[in-house]
Amino acid sequence: MMADHPQATVTGVAEGHSSDHQESILLDDPTTTDLQAKVTEAWREFARALAVCVRGLPVGARVDLTLDPTASGTDDAIYSVSIEAAGDGRIGARAVGNAVLPQGYRLGRAAVADMIALGWSPPGVVAGSGEHFGLTTDVDGASRLATTVSRTLRDVYGAPHPAFLVYLVHDEADEPLPVEPLGTARPEVAADQNLDLDLDDALEAARAAQKGEEELIGLDERVRTVVSTMLKSDADQLQVDSDGDINIRAGSAMVFVRVRDNPPLVDVFSPVLTEVEPTEQLYVKLSELTNRMPIGRLYCTNDTVWASIPVFGRNFQATHLMLAVQVMTGLADELDDRLHGEFGGKRFFGEGDKPARREQGEHRTGMYL
């Protein structure tokens, strides 16, 4: 996963707590901001958790995985995969095919070829698959199946991160089954929980939860309380990756919240643009935008443009973190389009991340295209 990344102090978040020691840690961290490694590890976590879940499915139980259309902007296009325990140690999987996708969001020839290469059979080939791609294996093949499903959701259906997935596990009678979290994917019951930026309500709830205990509760727990209050969820339901970063999906953007102990620091950061070519013009633009921001910093490293807002943890104030999250979610959604239009690259979940739309009247080849 991604190692710690360079930071900068920001005026207006936690006045009066900067020091030479803190400044050196914020600016001179020798590790790099490797977004690709972080996202790759998130998918590995998801695949491992999915494999464990599949192995434990009772007969007739099913896992439904869907790329959340409200986040991806795919409207009525539902990219989904279902996995079912069929009995006798057999596992069946189905992945959505073009027959059930609306015009403009259907898979092109290359995407269909990728599905076949991943091990899926064309729609109708596997018994019971109908208009979906089909795949069968046994419980011993759960890990390979989980990897195939992960790559399908990521590489073919265009999910940029497991946090953009919604899952539901239910038994033969369609009753929900409790399972361990599937990495940073979101259970369907929590899928409609959007980020609540009512700072007054969130602040009141956070203060009530911590009243009289500020000195006894660690910074990590206080941060989790604040973020979960803003999300209107329980602290133990937050999506946390193996770096310990809290993952917040805000619309089509990803925001990470990281807590560090030495010095006490909370970093709120987001990848605004990836695969961008660093140029003098880009650096000048990022400098100009940073100077206009009331708090925070924009910088480019390893062909990724990051937005970062550090909040000092000493004498931690919930309002500082809430403000940082509020500003970051707004920045991520606003700046990715602006910078993409001027400098290219890829937005975290932009048009280029979704399956390519076929031109009107494009020739259709094969029974499952």
Side-chain angles (χ1 to χ4, degrees), residues 330-350:
L331 276 175
D333 265 343
E334 176 186 356
L335 289 180
D336 59 355
D337 289 335
R338 184 190 305 184
L339 293 174
H340 178 265
E342 190 169 348
F343 298 101
K346 292 177 62 177
R347 290 158 290 187
F348 195 81
F349 202 163

Side-chain angles (χ1 to χ4, degrees), residues 201-222:
D201 290 348
L203 177 60
E204 182 179 351
R207 283 174 173 169
Q210 300 179 11
K211 187 175 182 180
E213 300 180 346
E214 285 83 354
E215 300 303 321
L216 302 177
I217 299 177
L219 178 59
D220 182 73
E221 187 173 346
R222 278 187 276 172

